[in-house]
Coordinates of all heavy atoms in Angstrom, one line a residue:
M1 N -38.0 -5.5 154.3 CA -38.9 -6.6 154.7 C -39.3 -6.5 156.1 O -40.5 -6.6 156.5 CB -38.4 -7.9 154.3 CG -39.4 -9.0 154.7 SD -38.8 -10.7 154.5 CE -39.1 -11.0 152.7
K2 N -38.3 -6.2 157.0 CA -38.6 -6.1 158.4 C -39.7 -5.1 158.7 O -40.6 -5.4 159.5 CB -37.3 -5.8 159.2 CG -37.4 -5.6 160.6 CD -36.1 -5.2 161.3 CE -36.3 -4.9 162.8 NZ -35.1 -4.5 163.4
E3 N -39.6 -4.0 158.1 CA -40.6 -2.9 158.4 C -42.0 -3.4 158.0 O -43.0 -3.1 158.7 CB -40.2 -1.6 157.7 CG -38.9 -1.0 158.1 CD -37.7 -1.6 157.6 OE1 -37.7 -2.3 156.5 OE2 -36.6 -1.5 158.2
N4 N -42.1 -4.0 156.9 CA -43.4 -4.5 156.4 C -43.9 -5.6 157.3 O -45.1 -5.6 157.6 CB -43.3 -5.1 155.0 CG -43.1 -3.9 154.0 OD1 -43.4 -2.8 154.2 ND2 -42.5 -4.3 152.9
L5 N -43.1 -6.5 157.8 CA -43.5 -7.5 158.7 C -44.0 -6.9 160.0 O -45.0 -7.3 160.6 CB -42.4 -8.5 159.0 CG -42.0 -9.4 157.8 CD1 -40.7 -10.1 158.1 CD2 -43.1 -10.4 157.5
L6 N -43.3 -5.9 160.5 CA -43.7 -5.2 161.7 C -45.0 -4.4 161.5 O -45.9 -4.4 162.4 CB -42.6 -4.2 162.2 CG -41.4 -4.9 162.9 CD1 -40.3 -3.9 163.1 CD2 -41.8 -5.6 164.1
K7 N -45.2 -3.8 160.3 CA -46.5 -3.2 160.0 C -47.7 -4.1 160.2 O -48.7 -3.8 160.7 CB -46.5 -2.6 158.6 CG -45.7 -1.3 158.5 CD -45.8 -0.8 157.0 CE -44.9 0.4 156.8 NZ -44.9 0.8 155.4
I8 N -47.5 -5.3 159.6 CA -48.5 -6.3 159.7 C -48.9 -6.7 161.1 O -50.0 -6.7 161.5 CB -48.2 -7.6 158.8 CG1 -48.0 -7.2 157.4 CG2 -49.2 -8.7 159.0 CD1 -47.4 -8.3 156.5
I9 N -47.9 -7.1 161.9 CA -48.2 -7.6 163.2 C -48.7 -6.5 164.1 O -49.5 -6.7 165.0 CB -46.9 -8.3 163.9 CG1 -47.4 -9.1 165.1 CG2 -45.8 -7.3 164.2 CD1 -46.3 -10.1 165.6
N10 N -48.2 -5.2 163.9 CA -48.7 -4.1 164.7 C -50.1 -3.7 164.3 O -50.9 -3.3 165.1 CB -47.7 -2.9 164.6 CG -46.5 -3.1 165.3 OD1 -46.5 -3.7 166.4 ND2 -45.3 -2.7 164.8
H11 N -50.4 -3.9 163.0 CA -51.8 -3.6 162.6 C -52.8 -4.6 163.2 O -53.8 -4.1 163.7 CB -51.9 -3.7 161.0 CG -53.3 -3.5 160.5 ND1 -53.8 -2.2 160.4 CD2 -54.2 -4.4 160.1 CE1 -55.1 -2.4 159.9 NE2 -55.3 -3.6 159.8
Y12 N -52.5 -5.9 163.1 CA -53.5 -6.9 163.6 C -53.4 -7.2 165.1 O -54.3 -7.6 165.7 CB -53.4 -8.2 162.8 CG -53.8 -8.0 161.4 CD1 -52.8 -8.0 160.3 CD2 -55.1 -7.9 161.0 CE1 -53.2 -7.9 159.0 CE2 -55.5 -7.7 159.7 CZ -54.6 -7.7 158.7 OH -55.0 -7.6 157.4
G13 N -52.2 -6.9 165.6 CA -51.9 -7.2 167.0 C -51.3 -8.6 167.2 O -51.6 -9.5 166.4
V14 N -50.6 -8.7 168.3 CA -49.9 -10.0 168.6 C -50.9 -11.1 168.8 O -50.7 -12.2 168.3 CB -49.0 -9.8 169.8 CG1 -48.4 -11.2 170.3 CG2 -47.9 -8.8 169.5
N15 N -52.0 -10.9 169.6 CA -52.9 -12.0 169.8 C -53.6 -12.5 168.6 O -53.7 -13.7 168.4 CB -54.0 -11.5 170.8 CG -53.5 -11.3 172.2 OD1 -52.4 -11.8 172.6 ND2 -54.1 -10.5 173.0
A16 N -53.9 -11.6 167.7 CA -54.5 -12.0 166.4 C -53.5 -12.8 165.6 O -53.9 -13.8 164.9 CB -55.0 -10.8 165.6
Q17 N -52.3 -12.4 165.6 CA -51.3 -13.1 164.8 C -50.9 -14.4 165.4 O -50.5 -15.4 164.7 CB -50.0 -12.2 164.6 CG -50.3 -11.0 163.7 CD -51.0 -11.4 162.4 OE1 -52.2 -11.5 162.3 NE2 -50.2 -11.6 161.3
Q18 N -51.0 -14.5 166.7 CA -50.8 -15.8 167.4 C -51.9 -16.8 166.9 O -51.6 -18.0 166.6 CB -50.9 -15.7 168.9 CG -49.7 -15.1 169.5 CD -50.0 -14.8 171.0 OE1 -51.1 -14.8 171.5 NE2 -48.9 -14.5 171.7
R19 N -53.1 -16.4 166.8 CA -54.2 -17.2 166.2 C -53.9 -17.5 164.8 O -54.1 -18.7 164.3 CB -55.6 -16.6 166.4 CG -56.0 -16.5 167.9 CD -57.4 -16.0 168.1 NE -57.6 -14.6 167.6 CZ -57.4 -13.6 168.3 NH1 -56.9 -13.7 169.6 NH2 -57.6 -12.3 167.9
Q20 N -53.5 -16.5 164.0 CA -53.2 -16.7 162.6 C -52.0 -17.8 162.5 O -52.1 -18.6 161.6 CB -52.8 -15.4 161.9 CG -52.7 -15.5 160.4 CD -54.0 -15.8 159.8 OE1 -55.0 -15.4 160.2 NE2 -53.9 -16.6 158.7
L21 N -51.0 -17.7 163.3 CA -49.9 -18.7 163.3 C -50.5 -20.1 163.5 O -50.1 -21.0 162.7 CB -48.9 -18.4 164.3 CG -47.8 -19.4 164.5 CD1 -47.0 -19.6 163.2 CD2 -46.9 -19.0 165.7
A22 N -51.3 -20.3 164.5 CA -51.9 -21.6 164.7 C -52.7 -22.1 163.5 O -52.6 -23.2 163.1 CB -52.9 -21.5 165.9
E23 N -53.4 -21.2 162.8 CA -54.2 -21.6 161.6 C -53.2 -21.9 160.5 O -53.5 -23.0 159.8 CB -55.1 -20.4 161.2 CG -55.9 -20.7 160.0 CD -56.8 -19.5 159.6 OE1 -57.3 -18.9 160.5 OE2 -56.9 -19.3 158.4
E24 N -52.2 -21.2 160.3 CA -51.3 -21.4 159.2 C -50.5 -22.7 159.4 O -50.3 -23.5 158.5 CB -50.3 -20.3 159.0 CG -50.9 -19.0 158.6 CD -51.7 -19.0 157.3 OE1 -51.6 -20.0 156.5 OE2 -52.3 -18.0 157.0
V25 N -50.1 -23.0 160.7 CA -49.4 -24.3 161.0 C -50.4 -25.4 160.8 O -49.9 -26.5 160.2 CB -48.9 -24.3 162.5 CG1 -48.4 -25.6 162.9 CG2 -47.7 -23.2 162.6
F26 N -51.6 -25.3 161.1 CA -52.6 -26.4 160.9 C -52.7 -26.6 159.4 O -52.8 -27.8 159.0 CB -54.0 -26.0 161.5 CG -55.0 -27.0 161.2 CD1 -55.1 -28.2 161.8 CD2 -55.9 -26.8 160.1 CE1 -56.1 -29.1 161.5 CE2 -56.9 -27.7 159.8 CZ -57.0 -28.9 160.5
E27 N -52.8 -25.5 158.6 CA -52.9 -25.7 157.2 C -51.7 -26.4 156.5 O -51.8 -27.2 155.6 CB -53.2 -24.4 156.5 CG -54.6 -23.8 156.8 CD -54.8 -22.4 156.3 OE1 -53.9 -21.8 155.6 OE2 -55.9 -21.8 156.5
L28 N -50.5 -26.1 157.1 CA -49.3 -26.7 156.6 C -49.3 -28.2 157.0 O -49.0 -29.1 156.1 CB -48.1 -26.1 157.2 CG -46.7 -26.8 156.9 CD1 -46.5 -26.9 155.4 CD2 -45.6 -26.0 157.6
Q29 N -49.7 -28.5 158.2 CA -49.8 -29.9 158.6 C -50.8 -30.7 157.8 O -50.5 -31.8 157.4 CB -50.2 -29.9 160.1 CG -50.2 -31.3 160.7 CD -51.5 -32.0 160.6 OE1 -52.6 -31.4 160.6 NE2 -51.5 -33.3 160.4
E30 N -51.9 -30.1 157.5 CA -52.9 -30.7 156.7 C -52.4 -30.9 155.2 O -52.6 -32.0 154.7 CB -54.1 -29.8 156.6 CG -55.4 -30.4 156.0 CD -56.6 -29.4 156.1 OE1 -56.5 -28.2 155.7 OE2 -57.6 -29.9 156.7
A31 N -51.7 -30.0 154.7 CA -51.1 -30.2 153.3 C -50.1 -31.3 153.3 O -50.1 -32.1 152.4 CB -50.5 -28.9 152.8
I32 N -49.3 -31.4 154.3 CA -48.3 -32.4 154.4 C -48.9 -33.8 154.6 O -48.5 -34.8 153.9 CB -47.2 -32.1 155.5 CG1 -46.4 -30.9 155.1 CG2 -46.4 -33.3 155.8 CD1 -45.5 -30.4 156.1
T33 N -49.9 -33.8 155.4 CA -50.6 -35.1 155.6 C -51.3 -35.6 154.4 O -51.2 -36.8 154.1 CB -51.7 -34.9 156.7 OG1 -51.0 -34.5 157.9 CG2 -52.5 -36.2 157.0
L34 N -51.9 -34.7 153.6 CA -52.5 -35.1 152.3 C -51.5 -35.7 151.4 O -51.8 -36.7 150.7 CB -53.1 -33.9 151.6 CG -54.5 -33.4 152.2 CD1 -54.9 -32.1 151.5 CD2 -55.5 -34.5 152.1
I35 N -50.3 -35.2 151.3 CA -49.3 -35.7 150.3 C -48.8 -37.1 150.8 O -48.5 -37.9 150.1 CB -48.2 -34.7 150.0 CG1 -47.6 -35.1 148.7 CG2 -47.2 -34.7 151.1 CD1 -46.7 -34.0 148.1
D36 N -48.7 -37.3 152.1 CA -48.1 -38.5 152.7 C -49.1 -39.7 152.7 O -48.6 -40.8 152.6 CB -47.5 -38.2 154.1 CG -46.2 -37.5 154.1 OD1 -45.6 -37.4 153.0 OD2 -45.8 -37.0 155.1
K37 N -50.3 -39.4 152.8 CA -51.2 -40.6 153.0 C -51.7 -41.1 151.6 O -52.2 -42.2 151.6 CB -52.4 -40.2 153.9 CG -53.4 -39.3 153.3 CD -54.6 -39.1 154.3 CE -55.6 -38.2 153.8 NZ -56.7 -37.9 154.7
D38 N -51.6 -40.3 150.6 CA -52.0 -40.8 149.2 C -50.7 -41.3 148.5 O -50.1 -40.5 147.8 CB -52.6 -39.6 148.4 CG -53.9 -39.2 149.0 OD1 -54.6 -40.0 149.7 OD2 -54.3 -38.0 148.8
G39 N -50.4 -42.5 148.6 CA -49.2 -43.1 148.0 C -49.3 -43.1 146.5 O -48.3 -42.9 145.8
A40 N -50.5 -43.4 145.9 CA -50.6 -43.5 144.5 C -51.3 -42.2 143.9 O -52.5 -42.0 144.0 CB -51.4 -44.7 144.1
M41 N -50.5 -41.4 143.2 CA -51.0 -40.3 142.6 C -50.2 -40.0 141.3 O -49.0 -40.4 141.3 CB -51.0 -39.1 143.5 CG -49.7 -38.5 143.9 SD -49.9 -37.1 145.0 CE -49.8 -37.9 146.6
V42 N -50.8 -39.4 140.3 CA -50.0 -39.1 139.1 C -49.1 -37.9 139.4 O -49.3 -37.2 140.3 CB -51.0 -38.8 137.9 CG1 -51.8 -40.0 137.6 CG2 -51.8 -37.6 138.2
D43 N -48.1 -37.8 138.6 CA -47.0 -36.8 138.8 C -47.6 -35.4 138.9 O -47.1 -34.6 139.7 CB -46.0 -36.9 137.7 CG -45.1 -38.1 137.8 OD1 -45.1 -38.7 138.9 OD2 -44.5 -38.5 136.8
S44 N -48.6 -35.1 138.1 CA -49.1 -33.7 138.1 C -49.8 -33.4 139.5 O -49.7 -32.3 140.0 CB -50.1 -33.5 137.0 OG -51.3 -34.3 137.1
E45 N -50.5 -34.4 140.0 CA -51.1 -34.2 141.4 C -50.0 -34.0 142.4 O -50.1 -33.2 143.3 CB -51.9 -35.5 141.7 CG -53.2 -35.6 141.0 CD -53.9 -36.9 141.3 OE1 -53.3 -37.9 141.7 OE2 -55.2 -36.9 141.2
F46 N -48.9 -34.8 142.3 CA -47.8 -34.7 143.2 C -47.2 -33.3 143.2 O -46.9 -32.7 144.2 CB -46.8 -35.8 142.9 CG -45.6 -35.8 143.9 CD1 -45.8 -36.2 145.2 CD2 -44.4 -35.4 143.5 CE1 -44.8 -36.2 146.1 CE2 -43.3 -35.4 144.4 CZ -43.5 -35.8 145.7
E47 N -47.0 -32.8 142.0 CA -46.4 -31.5 141.8 C -47.3 -30.4 142.3 O -46.9 -29.4 142.9 CB -46.1 -31.2 140.3 CG -44.9 -32.1 139.8 CD -43.6 -31.9 140.6 OE1 -43.3 -30.8 141.0 OE2 -43.0 -33.0 140.9
D48 N -48.6 -30.6 142.1 CA -49.6 -29.6 142.7 C -49.6 -29.6 144.2 O -49.6 -28.5 144.8 CB -51.0 -29.9 142.2 CG -51.3 -29.6 140.7 OD1 -50.4 -28.9 140.1 OD2 -52.3 -30.1 140.2
R49 N -49.5 -30.8 144.8 CA -49.4 -30.9 146.2 C -48.1 -30.3 146.8 O -48.1 -29.7 147.8 CB -49.7 -32.3 146.7 CG -51.1 -32.7 146.3 CD -51.5 -33.9 147.2 NE -52.9 -34.2 146.8 CZ -53.5 -35.3 147.1 NH1 -52.8 -36.2 147.8 NH2 -54.7 -35.5 146.8
K50 N -47.0 -30.5 146.1 CA -45.8 -29.9 146.5 C -45.9 -28.4 146.5 O -45.4 -27.7 147.4 CB -44.6 -30.4 145.6 CG -44.1 -31.8 146.0 CD -42.9 -32.3 145.2 CE -42.2 -31.4 144.4 NZ -41.1 -32.0 143.6
A51 N -46.5 -27.9 145.4 CA -46.7 -26.4 145.3 C -47.5 -25.9 146.5 O -47.2 -24.8 147.0 CB -47.3 -26.1 144.0
H52 N -48.5 -26.7 146.9 CA -49.4 -26.3 148.0 C -48.6 -26.3 149.3 O -48.7 -25.4 150.1 CB -50.6 -27.3 148.1 CG -51.6 -26.9 149.1 ND1 -52.4 -27.8 149.7 CD2 -51.8 -25.8 149.8 CE1 -53.2 -27.2 150.6 NE2 -52.8 -26.0 150.7
I53 N -47.8 -27.3 149.5 CA -46.9 -27.3 150.7 C -46.0 -26.1 150.7 O -45.8 -25.5 151.8 CB -46.1 -28.7 150.8 CG1 -47.1 -29.8 151.1 CG2 -45.0 -28.6 151.8 CD1 -46.5 -31.2 150.9
A54 N -45.4 -25.8 149.6 CA -44.5 -24.7 149.5 C -45.2 -23.4 149.9 O -44.7 -22.5 150.6 CB -43.9 -24.5 148.1
E55 N -46.4 -23.2 149.4 CA -47.2 -22.0 149.8 C -47.5 -22.0 151.2 O -47.4 -20.9 151.9 CB -48.5 -22.0 149.0 CG -49.4 -20.8 149.2 CD -50.6 -20.8 148.3 OE1 -50.6 -21.4 147.2 OE2 -51.6 -20.1 148.7
E56 N -47.9 -23.1 151.8 CA -48.2 -23.1 153.3 C -46.9 -22.9 154.1 O -47.0 -22.2 155.1 CB -48.8 -24.5 153.7 CG -50.2 -24.7 153.0 CD -51.2 -23.6 153.3 OE1 -51.1 -22.9 154.3 OE2 -52.2 -23.5 152.5
I57 N -45.8 -23.4 153.7 CA -44.5 -23.1 154.3 C -44.2 -21.6 154.3 O -43.8 -21.0 155.3 CB -43.4 -23.9 153.8 CG1 -43.5 -25.4 154.2 CG2 -42.0 -23.4 154.2 CD1 -42.5 -26.4 153.5
A58 N -44.5 -21.0 153.1 CA -44.3 -19.6 153.0 C -45.2 -18.8 154.0 O -44.7 -17.8 154.6 CB -44.5 -19.1 151.6
D59 N -46.4 -19.2 154.1 CA -47.3 -18.6 155.1 C -46.8 -18.6 156.5 O -46.8 -17.6 157.2 CB -48.7 -19.2 155.0 CG -49.5 -18.9 153.7 OD1 -49.1 -17.9 153.0 OD2 -50.5 -19.6 153.4
V60 N -46.4 -19.8 156.9 CA -45.9 -20.0 158.2 C -44.6 -19.2 158.4 O -44.4 -18.6 159.5 CB -45.6 -21.5 158.5 CG1 -44.8 -21.7 159.8 CG2 -46.9 -22.3 158.6
T61 N -43.7 -19.2 157.4 CA -42.5 -18.4 157.5 C -42.8 -16.9 157.7 O -42.1 -16.3 158.5 CB -41.6 -18.7 156.3 OG1 -41.4 -20.1 156.2 CG2 -40.3 -17.9 156.3
V62 N -43.7 -16.4 157.0 CA -44.1 -15.0 157.1 C -44.5 -14.6 158.5 O -44.1 -13.7 159.1 CB -45.1 -14.6 156.1 CG1 -45.7 -13.2 156.4 CG2 -44.6 -14.6 154.7
I63 N -45.4 -15.5 159.1 CA -45.9 -15.2 160.4 C -44.7 -15.4 161.4 O -44.6 -14.5 162.3 CB -47.0 -16.2 160.8 CG1 -48.2 -15.9 159.9 CG2 -47.4 -16.1 162.3 CD1 -49.2 -15.0 160.5
I64 N -43.9 -16.4 161.3 CA -42.8 -16.6 162.2 C -41.9 -15.4 162.1 O -41.4 -14.9 163.2 CB -42.1 -17.9 162.0 CG1 -43.0 -19.1 162.5 CG2 -40.7 -17.9 162.7 CD1 -42.5 -20.4 162.1
S65 N -41.6 -14.9 160.9 CA -40.8 -13.7 160.7 C -41.3 -12.5 161.4 O -40.6 -11.7 162.0 CB -40.6 -13.5 159.3 OG -39.8 -14.5 158.7
Q66 N -42.7 -12.4 161.4 CA -43.3 -11.3 162.1 C -42.9 -11.3 163.6 O -42.5 -10.3 164.2 CB -44.8 -11.3 162.0 CG -45.3 -11.0 160.6 CD -46.8 -11.1 160.5 OE1 -47.5 -10.8 161.4 NE2 -47.2 -11.7 159.4
F67 N -43.0 -12.5 164.2 CA -42.7 -12.6 165.6 C -41.2 -12.4 165.9 O -40.8 -11.9 166.9 CB -43.2 -14.0 166.2 CG -44.7 -14.0 166.4 CD1 -45.5 -14.6 165.5 CD2 -45.2 -13.4 167.5 CE1 -46.9 -14.7 165.6 CE2 -46.6 -13.4 167.6 CZ -47.4 -14.0 166.7
I68 N -40.3 -12.9 165.0 CA -38.9 -12.7 165.2 C -38.6 -11.2 165.3 O -37.9 -10.8 166.2 CB -38.1 -13.3 164.0 CG1 -38.1 -14.9 164.1 CG2 -36.7 -12.8 163.9 CD1 -37.6 -15.6 162.9
H69 N -39.2 -10.4 164.4 CA -38.9 -9.0 164.4 C -39.6 -8.3 165.5 O -39.1 -7.3 166.1 CB -39.2 -8.4 163.0 CG -38.3 -8.9 161.9 ND1 -37.0 -8.8 162.0 CD2 -38.6 -9.6 160.8 CE1 -36.4 -9.4 160.9 NE2 -37.4 -9.9 160.2
Y70 N -40.8 -8.7 165.8 CA -41.6 -8.1 166.8 C -40.9 -8.2 168.2 O -40.8 -7.2 169.0 CB -43.0 -8.7 166.9 CG -43.9 -8.0 168.0 CD1 -44.6 -6.9 167.7 CD2 -44.0 -8.6 169.2 CE1 -45.4 -6.3 168.6 CE2 -44.9 -8.0 170.2 CZ -45.5 -6.8 169.9 OH -46.3 -6.2 170.8
Y71 N -40.3 -9.3 168.5 CA -39.6 -9.6 169.7 C -38.2 -9.2 169.7 O -37.4 -9.4 170.6 CB -39.8 -11.0 170.2 CG -41.3 -11.3 170.7 CD1 -42.1 -12.1 170.0 CD2 -41.8 -10.6 171.7 CE1 -43.4 -12.4 170.4 CE2 -43.1 -10.8 172.2 CZ -43.9 -11.7 171.5 OH -45.2 -12.0 171.9
G72 N -37.7 -8.8 168.5 CA -36.3 -8.4 168.3 C -35.3 -9.5 168.5 O -34.3 -9.4 169.1
L73 N -35.7 -10.7 168.0 CA -34.9 -11.9 168.2 C -33.8 -11.8 167.1 O -33.9 -11.3 166.0 CB -35.7 -13.1 168.0 CG -36.9 -13.3 169.0 CD1 -37.7 -14.5 168.7 CD2 -36.4 -13.3 170.4
D74 N -32.7 -12.5 167.4 CA -31.5 -12.5 166.6 C -31.6 -13.8 165.7 O -31.6 -14.9 166.2 CB -30.2 -12.6 167.4 CG -29.0 -12.6 166.6 OD1 -29.0 -12.8 165.4 OD2 -27.9 -12.4 167.2
E75 N -31.8 -13.5 164.4 CA -32.0 -14.7 163.4 C -30.8 -15.6 163.4 O -30.9 -16.8 163.3 CB -32.3 -14.1 162.0 CG -33.7 -13.5 162.0 CD -34.0 -12.9 160.6 OE1 -34.5 -13.7 159.8 OE2 -33.7 -11.7 160.4
V76 N -29.6 -15.0 163.5 CA -28.4 -15.8 163.6 C -28.4 -16.8 164.8 O -28.1 -18.0 164.7 CB -27.1 -15.0 163.5 CG1 -25.8 -15.8 163.8 CG2 -27.0 -14.2 162.2
E77 N -28.8 -16.2 165.9 CA -28.9 -17.1 167.1 C -29.9 -18.2 166.9 O -29.7 -19.3 167.4 CB -29.2 -16.2 168.3 CG -29.2 -16.9 169.6 CD -27.8 -17.5 170.0 OE1 -26.8 -17.0 169.6 OE2 -27.8 -18.5 170.7
I78 N -31.0 -17.8 166.3 CA -32.1 -18.9 166.0 C -31.5 -20.0 165.2 O -31.7 -21.2 165.5 CB -33.3 -18.2 165.4 CG1 -34.0 -17.3 166.4 CG2 -34.3 -19.3 164.8 CD1 -35.1 -16.4 165.8
Y79 N -30.7 -19.6 164.1 CA -30.1 -20.7 163.3 C -29.1 -21.5 164.1 O -29.0 -22.7 163.8 CB -29.5 -20.1 162.0 CG -30.6 -19.7 161.0 CD1 -30.8 -18.3 160.7 CD2 -31.3 -20.6 160.4 CE1 -31.8 -18.0 159.8 CE2 -32.3 -20.3 159.5 CZ -32.5 -19.0 159.2 OH -33.5 -18.6 158.3
K80 N -28.4 -20.9 165.0 CA -27.4 -21.6 165.8 C -28.2 -22.6 166.7 O -27.7 -23.8 166.8 CB -26.6 -20.7 166.7 CG -25.5 -19.9 165.9 CD -24.8 -19.0 166.9 CE -23.8 -18.1 166.2 NZ -23.1 -17.2 167.1
I81 N -29.3 -22.2 167.3 CA -30.1 -23.1 168.1 C -30.6 -24.2 167.3 O -30.6 -25.4 167.7 CB -31.2 -22.3 168.8 CG1 -30.6 -21.3 169.8 CG2 -32.2 -23.3 169.5 CD1 -31.6 -20.3 170.3
A82 N -31.1 -23.9 166.1 CA -31.6 -24.9 165.2 C -30.5 -25.9 164.8 O -30.8 -27.1 164.8 CB -32.2 -24.3 163.9
D83 N -29.4 -25.4 164.5 CA -28.2 -26.3 164.2 C -27.9 -27.2 165.3 O -27.7 -28.4 165.1 CB -27.0 -25.5 163.8 CG -25.9 -26.3 163.3 OD1 -26.0 -27.0 162.3 OD2 -24.8 -26.2 163.9
Y84 N -27.9 -26.7 166.5 CA -27.6 -27.5 167.7 C -28.7 -28.6 167.8 O -28.4 -29.8 168.1 CB -27.6 -26.6 169.0 CG -27.8 -27.4 170.2 CD1 -26.7 -28.1 170.8 CD2 -29.0 -27.5 170.9 CE1 -26.8 -28.9 171.9 CE2 -29.1 -28.3 172.0 CZ -28.1 -29.0 172.5 OH -28.2 -29.7 173.7
K85 N -30.0 -28.2 167.6 CA -31.0 -29.2 167.8 C -31.0 -30.3 166.7 O -31.3 -31.5 166.9 CB -32.4 -28.5 167.8 CG -32.6 -27.7 169.0 CD -33.9 -27.0 169.0 CE -34.1 -26.3 170.3 NZ -35.0 -27.0 171.3
I86 N -30.6 -29.9 165.5 CA -30.4 -30.9 164.4 C -29.3 -31.9 164.8 O -29.5 -33.1 164.6 CB -30.1 -30.2 163.1 CG1 -31.3 -29.4 162.6 CG2 -29.6 -31.2 162.0 CD1 -31.1 -28.4 161.5
K87 N -28.2 -31.4 165.2 CA -27.1 -32.2 165.6 C -27.4 -33.1 166.7 O -27.1 -34.3 166.8 CB -25.8 -31.4 165.9 CG -25.2 -30.8 164.7 CD -24.1 -29.8 165.1 CE -23.5 -29.2 163.8 NZ -22.6 -28.1 164.1
R88 N -28.2 -32.6 167.7 CA -28.6 -33.4 168.9 C -29.5 -34.5 168.4 O -29.4 -35.7 168.9 CB -29.3 -32.5 169.9 CG -29.8 -33.2 171.1 CD -30.5 -32.3 172.1 NE -31.7 -31.9 171.5 CZ -32.5 -31.0 172.0 NH1 -32.2 -30.3 173.1 NH2 -33.7 -30.6 171.4
Q89 N -30.4 -34.2 167.5 CA -31.4 -35.3 167.0 C -30.6 -36.3 166.2 O -30.9 -37.5 166.3 CB -32.5 -34.7 166.2 CG -33.6 -35.6 165.9 CD -34.3 -36.1 167.1 OE1 -34.5 -35.4 168.1 NE2 -34.6 -37.4 167.1
L90 N -29.7 -35.9 165.4 CA -28.9 -36.9 164.6 C -28.1 -37.8 165.6 O -27.9 -39.0 165.3 CB -27.9 -36.2 163.7 CG -28.6 -35.5 162.5 CD1 -27.6 -34.7 161.7 CD2 -29.3 -36.5 161.6
E91 N -27.6 -37.3 166.7 CA -26.9 -38.1 167.7 C -27.9 -39.1 168.3 O -27.5 -40.2 168.5 CB -26.3 -37.2 168.7 CG -25.4 -37.9 169.7 CD -24.1 -38.5 169.0 OE1 -23.6 -37.9 168.0 OE2 -23.6 -39.5 169.5
R92 N -29.1 -38.6 168.6 CA -30.1 -39.6 169.1 C -30.4 -40.7 168.2 O -30.6 -41.8 168.5 CB -31.4 -38.8 169.4 CG -31.3 -37.9 170.6 CD -32.6 -37.1 170.8 NE -32.5 -36.2 172.0 CZ -33.3 -35.2 172.1 NH1 -34.2 -34.8 171.2 NH2 -33.2 -34.4 173.2
I93 N -30.5 -40.3 166.9 CA -30.8 -41.3 165.8 C -29.6 -42.3 165.8 O -29.9 -43.6 165.7 CB -31.0 -40.7 164.5 CG1 -32.3 -39.9 164.5 CG2 -30.9 -41.7 163.3 CD1 -32.5 -39.0 163.2
K94 N -28.4 -41.9 165.9 CA -27.2 -42.7 165.8 C -27.3 -43.7 167.0 O -26.8 -44.9 166.9 CB -26.0 -41.9 165.9 CG -24.7 -42.6 165.6 CD -23.6 -41.6 165.5 CE -22.8 -41.6 166.8 NZ -21.6 -40.7 166.7
N95 N -27.8 -43.3 168.1 CA -27.8 -44.1 169.3 C -29.0 -45.0 169.5 O -29.1 -45.7 170.5 CB -27.7 -43.2 170.6 CG -26.3 -42.6 170.6 OD1 -25.3 -43.2 170.3 ND2 -26.2 -41.3 171.1
E96 N -29.9 -44.9 168.5 CA -31.1 -45.8 168.6 C -30.8 -47.2 168.3 O -29.9 -47.6 167.5 CB -32.2 -45.3 167.6 CG -32.9 -44.1 168.0 CD -34.0 -43.6 167.1 OE1 -34.2 -44.2 166.0 OE2 -34.6 -42.6 167.4

């Protein structure tokens, strides 16, 4: 997978993929906003919207993975940082 992700980012270039990341994040935000503001929907609509959110998360994940490999970042270290930030936020919530 790493090689394929690097092929993509090298083909389009870092600047183009930065713009693509912004677009994909916007589309994810838009999908999430749609599901949250419509409180009353039938189950099939809800399932369709969840599927759309999953697809947008996948798009963002693919682009982020390109940058992880392009910059040679350590995925384990990224998860450690994320874990630290989660624990820090939970501590903040506890202290509210």
Side-chain angles (χ1 to χ4, degrees):
M1 181 186 274
K2 176 182 175 179
E3 294 80 22
N4 290 335
L5 293 166
L6 287 171
K7 280 181 188 177
I8 295 168
I9 197 167
N10 287 322
H11 175 79
Y12 292 108
V14 173
N15 291 338
Q17 292 310 85
Q18 288 172 343
R19 289 187 297 276
Q20 188 65 35
L21 174 60
E23 182 179 320
E24 298 298 351
V25 168
F26 175 79
E27 290 174 1
L28 172 58
Q29 184 272 325
E30 190 175 54
I32 290 171
T33 300
L34 284 174
I35 202 167
D36 283 346
K37 71 179 180 182
D38 295 332
M41 65 180 94
V42 297
D43 288 341
S44 63
E45 289 175 331
F46 183 70
E47 291 304 316
D48 288 346
R49 293 203 179 163
K50 282 184 9 183
H52 184 201
I53 289 171
E55 184 176 335
E56 296 303 338
I57 288 172
D59 290 343
V60 170
T61 301
V62 167
I63 294 268
I64 288 173
S65 295
Q66 289 175 38
F67 284 103
I68 287 170
H69 295 301
Y70 183 82
Y71 290 115
L73 302 176
D74 182 346
E75 291 178 87
V76 172
E77 186 62 27
I78 291 170
Y79 284 113
K80 285 180 185 177
I81 295 167
D83 185 59
Y84 164 78
K85 289 179 177 261
I86 291 166
K87 288 175 182 170
R88 182 181 66 187
Q89 191 61 38
L90 290 172
E91 190 63 31
R92 289 174 178 161
I93 289 170
K94 190 171 102 180
N95 293 325
E96 285 182 356

